[in-house]
């Protein structure tokens, strides 16, 4: 989007109308998830990253903790991209197998989370990396995205 650098003002003024994507980030998914809906997260990995995470949750509640439909965690020390879910306070079985580790320090990335009827499909930089089968049945209840860790966000969609 060319909004931030248009000729009508400096980026500082633009930030008033286009708030920066600050990490940790928490945002609302309008209408919740449903088959065919896609979440796009674009950003740049920090120079010396340890990890970062992207979670889709059922609300923002901390106490009791909101159900986590899918949590994606990139761990740079182990070069793993871990995913899991938490339903009624219980974490499920962690999945970690991937064909390759797609994230590079100080480089941009594009993560797409496509919601299909039985699963989420995860794409990184246009390549399908893995599927994660739904553990939460009510997809429309998945209405919050949380992002934290060693990254800068450049775009959400």
């Amino acid at each position: 989007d060319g909004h931030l650098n248009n000729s009508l003002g400096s980026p500082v003024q633009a930030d008033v109308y286009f708030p920066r994507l600050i990490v940790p980030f928490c945002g609302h998914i309008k209408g919740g998830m449903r088959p065919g809906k896609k979440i796009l997260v674009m950003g740049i990995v920090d120079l010396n990253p340890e990890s970062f995470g992207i979670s889709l949750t059922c609300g923002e509640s901390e106490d009791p903790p909101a159900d986590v439909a899918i949590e994606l965690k990139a761990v740079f020390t182990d070069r793993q991209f871990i995913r899991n879910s938490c339903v009624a306070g219980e974490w499920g079985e962690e999945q970690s197998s991937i064909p390759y580790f797609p994230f590079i320090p100080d480089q941009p990335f594009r993560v797409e989370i496509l919601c299909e009827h039985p699963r989420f499909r995860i794409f990184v930089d246009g390549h399908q990396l893995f599927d994660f089968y739904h553990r939460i049945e009510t997809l429309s209840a998945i209405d919050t995205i949380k992002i934290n860790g060693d990254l800068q966000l450049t775009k959400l969609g």
Side-chain angles (χ1 to χ4, degrees):
D1 299 329
H3 297 303
L4 288 177
N5 297 330
N6 64 19
S7 59
L8 299 174
S10 71
V12 174
Q13 289 173 315
D15 274 352
V16 175
Y17 306 108
F18 301 97
R20 299 222 355 230
L21 298 167
I22 302 293
V23 176
F25 176 87
C26 182
H28 184 70
I29 301 167
K30 192 172 182 207
M33 294 303 288
R34 64 178 181 277
K37 191 160 190 169
K38 183 166 36 175
I39 301 286
L40 171 68
V41 179
M42 293 174 70
I44 301 168
V45 178
D46 285 354
L47 188 56
N48 295 304
E50 286 180 28
S51 67
F52 68 82
I54 302 169
S55 299
L56 299 184
T57 65
C58 301
E60 297 177 39
S61 171
E62 299 292 335
D63 187 25
D67 283 349
V68 179
I70 184 170
E71 178 183 79
L72 304 171
K73 187 170 185 184
V75 183
F76 287 82
T77 47
D78 304 335
R79 295 180 63 79
Q80 286 200 308
F81 198 23
I82 299 165
R83 51 269 182 209
N84 205 344
S85 65
C86 183
V87 182
E90 296 284 323
W91 283 95
E93 188 178 331
E94 197 172 84
Q95 298 176 8
S96 62
S97 65
I98 47 172
Y100 62 95
F101 186 73
F103 303 105
I104 303 167
D106 204 29
Q107 292 295 312
F109 66 86
R110 174 189 180 106
V111 171
E112 292 171 87
I113 304 169
L114 175 62
C115 183
E116 293 184 346
H117 182 63
R119 65 188 164 220
F120 290 114
R121 292 210 122 143
I122 311 303
F123 296 82
V124 178
D125 298 327
H127 299 280
Q128 185 185 341
L129 209 56
F130 53 80
D131 290 347
F132 186 85
Y133 284 82
H134 296 306
R135 299 175 184 173
I136 289 180
E137 299 296 318
T138 311
L139 298 179
S140 61
I142 306 166
D143 63 359
T144 303
I145 180 167
K146 297 180 179 183
I147 302 169
N148 59 31
D150 303 319
L151 76 164
Q152 299 163 46
L153 289 174
T154 54
K155 184 173 182 175
L156 283 176

